[in-house]
Amino acid sequence: MDMNKKRALAELALSGAERLLPRQLDLLQHLCALDSGTGNEAGNDAVIDHLLPVLDELGASVERVREPGCGTHLIARLRPQGQPSRGRVLLAAHLDTVFASGFAAKHPFRIEGDWAHGLGAGDCKSGVLIALFGALLLKETDALPPWELTFLFTCDEEIGSPSGSRIYAQESRSADYALVFEGARKSGELTPFITSRKGVILGSIEVTGREAHAGKDYLSGRSAVLELAHQIVRLYSFNDYERGIFFNVAPISGGRPNGIVAGEARGEFCCAGIPTNADFRWISEKLDAMAQQVTVEGCRVQVRYHTLFPAMEPCEANHRAYTLVEEPARLLGLAPVEQGDPAATDAAYLSTCGVPTVDALGALAEGIHTTDEKVSISSIQQRTALCALTLGLLPA
């Protein structure tokens, strides 16, 4: 496509995004009024019900994948009409939030200046709407590319996608690119897009000791709390400050009244900042060895852990995905830059499955995971135009 046509498409994207913004904000208000924390199946279904009319307008086929006790994943496919597909792009975001039932009513949606305040507004409900309305903009102007667009809206990202990761593995098999619509952050005058993220492990240390009266029978006791303290110190000794791999323990608990030597104790931990998937091996070796390194004789230690998110490693494939959005961003007057980010998202699963992936295509957000979460309204419009232009400039 020559530059004049690209500029014309950019103008179409900008004007279309401006036209669709009021509708997006109205829908965002409805979505933020719903409690849809991970595991809230009714709230999750209600969010999906609000999205179905937009998907119907798009002409997308819809599949619901129910995960009992967790929620429902939404997969929607929009295939080119009357011509073979040139490729397949995944557009991914998540439907769940970190907020419990009742929080939405206590913290209602409101607009103050350029900011829309609402629980889950930036993480990641506005991202869902940007992906959908970016495609709808092209549909309404007969400018959809001859590519299959697959929308993946999962319901368990906030707990590490234990079931959503299977959806990603399945859908990655024939995908050419993945665009992930997590909330974005500012970086001065630059507009960062993320092509690498750090991995995370979550786990627990459980210690069994022996109770005894802390006065008259102290020496026959075996303090699980004391052993847990030794294990916590050992865990912190694994920190790699040079590479930014950090262990943290919280919360901790143990014992009964303080007149009794503690017979049990427990601590939860995370390991964050894991830069490569190869690093999971040596971390696992250290964690597995802890149960054999008991300081308080007579105590038993059990360490359980699991990968919350793999690492999204920097690679040439992800750089190629970044180049998909680089030119559209410049055409819209942005100053794009490729960056890494320590926070983990579902982009890690898509990248690990071998799909060239770029993240942070959502709106600018602040206060994510807090009750003062907010998203920039002007950036919703901007990112909708960017989504539309990125898709519109896919090779014909």
Side-chain angles (χ1 to χ4, degrees), residues 34-371:
L34 298 168
D35 289 314
S36 56
T38 317
N40 187 330
E41 296 183 69
N44 174 220
D45 284 339
V47 168
I48 291 174
D49 288 343
H50 278 82
L51 301 178
L52 291 178
V54 183
L55 288 165
D56 186 58
E57 284 183 65
L58 277 168
S61 63
V62 173
E63 177 185 359
R64 294 187 190 221
V65 180
R66 184 166 295 280
E67 190 68 29
C70 184
T72 299
H73 305 295
L74 180 64
I75 304 173
R77 307 181 197 279
L78 181 59
R79 296 182 172 92
Q81 299 298 311
Q83 58 182 312
S85 175
R86 284 291 306 272
R88 182 162 168 262
V89 177
L90 308 179
L91 297 91
H94 62 91
L95 305 172
D96 58 323
T97 72
V98 298
F99 302 101
S101 294
F103 270 61
K106 293 177 183 177
H107 305 277
F109 184 88
R110 71 185 192 278
I111 291 177
E112 295 180 354
D114 186 48
W115 294 98
H117 297 249
L119 304 188
D123 185 26
C124 183
K125 292 178 177 179
S126 60
V128 171
L129 298 181
I130 288 167
L132 286 174
F133 279 82
L136 183 62
L137 190 163
L138 296 178
K139 169 81 171 181
E140 291 180 346
T141 54
D142 197 28
L144 280 169
W147 287 59
E148 179 180 333
L149 308 182
T150 302
F151 300 90
L152 302 178
F153 299 144
T154 57
C155 65
D156 60 358
E157 189 269 355
E158 297 293 1
I159 61 170
S161 299
S163 63
S165 57
R166 296 196 296 272
I167 300 292
Y168 293 129
Q170 169 189 307
E171 296 297 326
S172 293
R173 290 174 191 153
S174 59
D176 296 280
Y177 294 102
L179 308 178
V180 181
F181 291 83
E182 285 284 349
R185 295 177 176 85
K186 292 182 179 178
S187 182
E189 297 300 314
L190 299 176
T191 302
F193 297 103
I194 305 304
T195 56
S196 64
R197 292 187 179 275
K198 303 298 180 68
V200 180
I201 287 174
L202 295 186
S204 65
I205 308 168
E206 297 177 0
V207 182
T208 303
R210 183 191 305 155
E211 287 192 347
H213 191 284
K216 65 181 181 181
D217 202 21
Y218 181 81
L219 293 179
S220 68
R222 298 292 183 265
S223 175
V225 165
L226 178 58
E227 179 57 38
L228 178 61
H230 284 291
Q231 295 290 349
I232 289 173
V233 171
R234 180 171 293 114
L235 198 68
Y236 278 100
S237 75
F238 301 156
N239 281 346
D240 187 332
Y241 294 95
E242 188 172 310
R243 302 185 66 211
I245 302 175
F246 300 124
F247 289 81
N248 185 64
V249 181
I252 60 175
S253 62
R256 295 195 295 126
N258 55 17
I260 302 171
V261 175
E264 54 79 28
R266 186 177 191 276
E268 298 179 21
F269 68 88
C270 79
C271 176
I274 305 172
T276 74
N277 289 307
D279 289 309
F280 282 78
R281 179 176 297 177
W282 71 259
I283 293 170
S284 295
E285 290 173 354
K286 288 183 176 294
L287 294 176
D288 292 342
M290 290 176 67
Q292 308 305 318
Q293 298 170 311
V294 177
T295 303
V296 178
E297 184 180 355
C299 283
R300 297 192 308 276
V301 174
Q302 186 171 46
V303 179
R304 296 186 175 95
Y305 60 92
H306 68 277
T307 297
L308 184 69
F309 288 100
M312 180 185 184
E313 299 180 12
C315 60
E316 178 57 32
N318 290 349
H319 174 71
R320 290 201 312 275
Y322 164 75
T323 63
L324 282 186
V325 302
E326 183 179 27
E327 183 181 24
R330 293 192 190 282
L331 286 167
L332 294 174
L334 305 177
V337 62
E338 183 178 4
Q339 285 187 358
D341 192 282
T345 74
D346 278 345
Y349 286 110
L350 292 161
S351 176
T352 301
C353 288
V355 183
T357 302
V358 59
D359 196 358
L361 294 171
L364 297 178
E366 294 183 2
I368 285 175
H369 288 191
T370 75
T371 54

